[in-house]
Amino acid sequence: MQLTIRNLSKTYSNGVKALQDVSLDIPTGMYGLLGPNGAGKSTLMRTLATLQDADAGTATLGEIDVLKDKDAVRRTLGYLPQEFGVYPRIKAVEMLDHLAVLKGIPSGQRKEVVNALLQRVNLWEHRKKSVSSYSGGMRQRFGIAQALLGDPKLIIVDEPTAGLDPGERNRFYNLLSEIGENVIVILSTHIVEDVKELCSNMAVINDGRVLYAGAPEAALLQLQGKIWEKAIQKTEMEAYQQRYQIISSKLVAGKPIIHIFSENDPAEGFKRAEAGLEDVFFARINGVA
Ligand code: ADP
């Protein structure tokens, strides 16, 4: 099974070009869709989830025409949106059961399916609490449980780790990586770490355009030996910006450490740095490499 996206475009009525000629080949496994806020990730996710229409282009999932045959997509789709509504005061197990009804799971199987999913996402102990009382991490795991109802072949998770603490994030990573073995999981995120930990393929998008698509390692290889770093003073930043192609800067103990892209040794106290996925991300969105 593969998801094939060709020349997808979307312009909102206010003139924002959220998707511009997006083409991607998404195989089975975890696929990272990495881009800063406003890049167009949610627009793409919502289009693939049949919640909104594109202006042009095609998307096919195996034999299914995603943009035309919405019912067929919905039967094989699991979607965890950025925010999902929960009913207060209803127990998690009851809510999942209710969602299973909506998903068309036959009553004879429902109890078994719901219980198995609650165990799978490690919420069995907490099944009698309401989802509205859950922590961020528990809520996201519940979100995965509902996305897995009906054995979907395509699972879309939109910014799932935002707001999770490191421990919760790790538990969530483990859960996602187990799921990603036999189905297509598209993980949309602005957090480089999410992609680094989980995804065998990825795309970097910004301003509605695909800036890179492929394996993270291949992107790293292109930058190998060309990333240089230096600790500078804050007051020197502007001068460095004028002289070099700065990819990123971060503060370490209050002092900026800058990364630049250069084919050759820039000397001047720069040290060669190991290229990381952050460098790929920033180099692409800043148009440096
Ligand atoms: P991301 O998920 O990467 O943050 P979005 O797809 O939400 O990006 O947004 C892409 C661009 O489209 C942004 O500039 C955003 O402001 C704009 N946008 C998103 N939804 C709408 C909408 N319903 N109407 C108008 N503009 C929108």
Side-chain angles (χ1 to χ4, degrees), residues 238-284:
E238 207 167 302
Y240 276 91
Q241 270 162 350
Q242 280 165 13
R243 290 189 56 200
Y244 299 101
Q245 290 189 299
I246 296 186
I247 290 176
S248 66
S249 70
K250 62 175 176 193
L251 291 177
V252 175
K255 239 179 142 183
I257 295 194
I258 56 171
H259 275 196
I260 66 164
F261 176 86
S262 174
E263 300 274 349
N264 309 310
D265 187 348
E268 304 237 16
F270 279 95
K271 281 190 322 209
R272 187 175 263 141
E274 180 95 24
L277 213 48
E278 287 82 6
D279 296 310
V280 172
F281 179 59
F282 289 113
R284 297 280 167 176

Side-chain angles (χ1 to χ4, degrees), residues 26-47:
I26 304 186
T28 304
M30 295 281 307
Y31 193 93
L33 189 68
L34 185 61
N37 288 327
K41 303 184 295 298
S42 292
T43 301
L44 180 57
M45 301 295 91
R46 291 174 55 82
T47 306

Side-chain angles (χ1 to χ4, degrees), residues 10-19 33-46 52 82 158-159 188-190 205-208:
K10 171 74 180 180
T11 303
Y12 286 110
S13 52
N14 59 358
V16 172
K17 292 182 174 168
L19 297 176
L33 189 68
L34 185 61
N37 288 327
K41 303 184 295 298
S42 292
T43 301
L44 180 57
M45 301 295 91
R46 291 174 55 82
Q52 68 180 59
Q82 265 184 41
D158 199 351
E159 298 274 356
S188 133
T189 185
H190 65 278
I205 71 167
N206 195 24
D207 290 333

Side-chain angles (χ1 to χ4, degrees), residues 141-159:
R141 282 185 277 135
F142 182 85
I144 287 294
Q146 64 80 28
L148 287 174
L149 284 167
D151 277 330
K153 297 285 173 288
L154 171 63
I155 297 174
I156 294 177
V157 287
D158 199 351
E159 298 274 356

